[in-house]
Amino acid sequence: MRFKQISIYLLAFSLAVVLTTGCGDAAPSATFQEAQKIHEQLDRIAAELHDELQLALGDVEAQVEASLAAGDSIFAMQLARVESQLGELDVRFHDWESTVAPLPGAACDHDHDHDHGHDHDHDHGSGASLEGMSDDAILEIQQALMAELTEIGVLLKEAKSSFQVAVDEGDVE
C-alpha cells in the first residue's frame, strides 16, 4: 500500500514537472521585455522621422527651385546647403536602418511599405542577427540604436530650423 502511494506521488510530481517545463517557452526576462519595448519605439519613431525627413527634403527642394526660377541664386545656394544636410541625414538614416535586426523569436510585422521616390529597403536581418546574444547585450544594442535615432532626429530639427531661418530672412514663402 505504501509503495502504491509513493508511486502515485512520483507519477503526479513527474507529470507536474513535464507540464510546467514542456508547455511553451519560458517567459522573457525583464531585460528582454525592455529591449522589446525599445524596439517597438524604434519602429514607430523611425517611420515618423523618415516621413518628416522626406517632407523636409521636398520643401527645401521646392524652395531651391523657386529661388532659381526667381533668379535668386545666392538664396538658392543657402538653401542648397540645407538640402545637402538633409540628404546626408537621409543617407545616415538608411545606414542606421540597415543595422536594425529583429529580436530573437520575433517576426517583423510592421509596415515597410514606404514610397518616397527612392529605394527604401528595410529588411530586418539582412545579415545582422541577435540570435544567441544575451538579453543584456540585446538591450544595449536597442539602447544604442535609440541613441543614434535620437541624434538623427536632433539634426533633422536643426536642419529644419536652418531652413526656416533662411526662408524668414529671405522673405520667401
Side-chain angles (χ1 to χ4, degrees):
M1 180 85 166
R2 182 120 168 100
F3 177 74
K4 191 174 183 179
Q5 286 177 329
I6 292 174
S7 295
I8 291 173
Y9 286 127
L10 283 176
L11 181 62
F13 177 75
S14 297
L15 183 60
V17 168
V18 167
L19 288 176
T20 57
T21 60
C23 290
D25 296 328
S29 70
T31 302
F32 189 80
Q33 289 176 1
E34 180 65 20
Q36 285 177 315
K37 286 179 188 173
I38 293 171
H39 189 82
E40 289 168 6
Q41 291 173 342
L42 287 171
D43 289 336
R44 181 185 47 77
I45 293 168
E48 292 169 1
L49 184 72
H50 191 258
D51 289 345
E52 184 179 353
L53 179 57
Q54 293 307 304
L55 286 172
L57 269 167
D59 290 346
V60 173
E61 288 170 0
Q63 193 63 55
V64 168
E65 289 175 19
S67 297
L68 289 172
D72 193 351
S73 60
I74 292 173
F75 185 60
M77 296 229 351
Q78 289 175 325
L79 294 176
R81 283 189 212 109
V82 175
E83 183 179 21
S84 176
Q85 290 173 333
L86 292 171
E88 289 172 13
L89 281 177
D90 190 49
V91 169
R92 184 171 171 180
F93 174 83
H94 286 283
D95 287 346
W96 169 88
E97 190 176 44
S98 71
T99 66
V100 177
L103 297 181
C108 181
D109 62 355
H110 46 270
D111 181 22
H112 300 294
D113 187 25
H114 304 289
D115 182 14
H116 305 290
H118 63 275
D119 288 336
H120 184 77
D121 185 19
H122 179 88
D123 180 19
H124 276 324
S126 58
S129 175
L130 302 177
E131 291 294 332
M133 291 185 157
S134 71
D135 291 353
D136 288 334
I138 291 170
L139 177 59
E140 280 184 46
I141 290 168
Q142 299 310 300
Q143 290 168 333
L145 287 167
M146 182 61 81
E148 176 65 10
L149 188 61
T150 301
E151 176 68 17
I152 292 169
V154 167
L155 294 172
L156 174 57
K157 283 183 178 52
E158 290 173 1
K160 286 175 62 176
S161 178
S162 295
F163 171 65
Q164 192 59 51
V165 167
V167 168
D168 290 346
E169 289 176 357
D171 291 324
V172 176
E173 300 220 16

